[in-house]
Amino acid sequence: MKKLLLFLFILLYAVPFSSQAQKKSKTTQATSTGKYQANWASIDSRPIPTWFEDAKFGIFIHWGLFSVPSWGPTPKDGASIYDCYSEWYWYRLTDPNSKVNPLFVKYHTSTYGKDFRYQDFVKDFKAEFFKPDDWASVIQDAGAKYVVLTSKHHEGFTLWPSAQAWNWNAVDVGPHRDLAGDLIKSVKSKGLRMGYYYSLYEWFNPLYKADVNRYVDEHMLPQLKDLVTRYNPDIVWTDGEWDHPSETWKSTEFLAWLYNDSPVKNDVVVNDRWGKETRSKHGGIYTTEYDLVHEKAQTEGSLPRYWEECRGIGSSFGYNRNENLEDYSSAEQLVHILIDKVSRGGSLLLNIGPTADGRIPVIMQQRLKEMGQWLKVNGEAIYGTRMWTAAPAKKIPDVFFTAKGKDVYVICTKWPENGIELEGVALPSKITMLGYTGPVKAAFQNNKLMLTPPVVSPATVPCDYAWTFKLENAVK
């Protein structure tokens, strides 16, 4: 009897123990293969690819049907920065709860008539002047290292022949051209990296409004995977995530596929816009926007992950014909923004908004060209650098720091007429000013370095906007 009871005990309890052990063994085996799991703990463990942390400067491109009306209010109209976005034209036009809705309705009615539908703009989205090689040259000359193009904004119109957007894409209608495919070829031919912005949600897609789960399974995920497998992008930059948590979007499932099985699994970069709860918490790089998202952490340099600031040259991402010169940042301001972001451990994704006929507005080309001229002299202090963690705790006005290996770069956004006194550096083996061939005077006493700028003339000043001292072997 005792033997029988012992046998039954083993039969009842050994099987569950064995089953649990097998489950644990399978989990351990899956982890040991190096596969990322479809959960945030696993997805977040993937390092940011080094190429992206080295790049520092990219160009955002917002282009779509919204480029036809190309209109939005500006700050002088009393609009907040988000209300100035011309790419939100369709939504603002139909949203009576928006405080800028009357402005959009008034403009639209007086310009196109009250019965003119947003969909009708497709006939004027022709991109007849679009020359992707020229765009790529402008971007390369700007000193940018990567590009992010809107493959699809919240309006749902795609710039590639998406099967899920039949008759609502740039090949079936409008330009009758694969805009996304043509540009990535030209950009990559210049040795630059390129990826795509993709909106998870669509304002007026009937399937999205009726059943978000079917929308995700039948529309969004197939569309995203097609974009990746068709073009092999270096970046997948999502947006429009705020309506639902990442579980609804099946974000971790997609990212596990992207990191494990996609053709770009080794080098692809993603952002943090994967669900209403994910910004500055989950995903890849963290994204700020006109300094309005997690601004405090960015300012303090305390974001726990590599980050990127995105913004337009003006107050909109899509081209806005309502903007005037005073609405655009100057090249000097843009260079200073780049320096500020990089010195605090981030990157700058600067947006341009092409016209519906495929031109980069001349004022935007000019700004990019001037930034490129500055980077030709000072790029060494930007590309491949990291935030100098031993920088003086007390901010020195108009002085920023980056580091690369043992070298420290001191970037001055105002000419330091009275010199610069630095603490926390070792005695440099050599001190130079980038782009200047003459000597730089310096004195090192009591663990402090005093830099004295050279006397320059208009003919010998190395660049405009900001000037860089390189301190070799100065990291303690």
Side-chain angles (χ1 to χ4, degrees), residues 229-240:
T229 55
R230 187 187 292 259
Y231 299 117
N232 292 358
D234 298 298
I235 302 167
V236 176
W237 210 101
T238 49
D239 193 25

Side-chain angles (χ1 to χ4, degrees), residues 428-433 439-442 449 451 469-472:
S429 61
K430 186 178 181 181
I431 301 175
T432 55
M433 175 181 277
V440 175
K441 295 181 180 180
L449 178 68
L451 292 173
F469 296 94
K470 180 181 180 180
L471 314 181
E472 297 186 27

Side-chain angles (χ1 to χ4, degrees), residues 7-25:
F7 174 76
L8 290 173
F9 178 87
I10 292 171
L11 185 64
L12 287 169
Y13 290 96
V15 172
F17 287 153
S18 174
S19 179
Q20 288 176 11
Q22 288 178 1
K23 287 181 181 178
K24 184 175 181 181
S25 174

Side-chain angles (χ1 to χ4, degrees), residues 338-359:
L338 173 64
I339 293 167
D340 174 58
K341 305 310 175 190
V342 173
S343 72
R344 290 195 277 113
S347 295
L348 175 62
L349 182 61
L350 183 65
N351 182 80
I352 57 174
T355 58
D357 57 17
R359 294 172 294 115

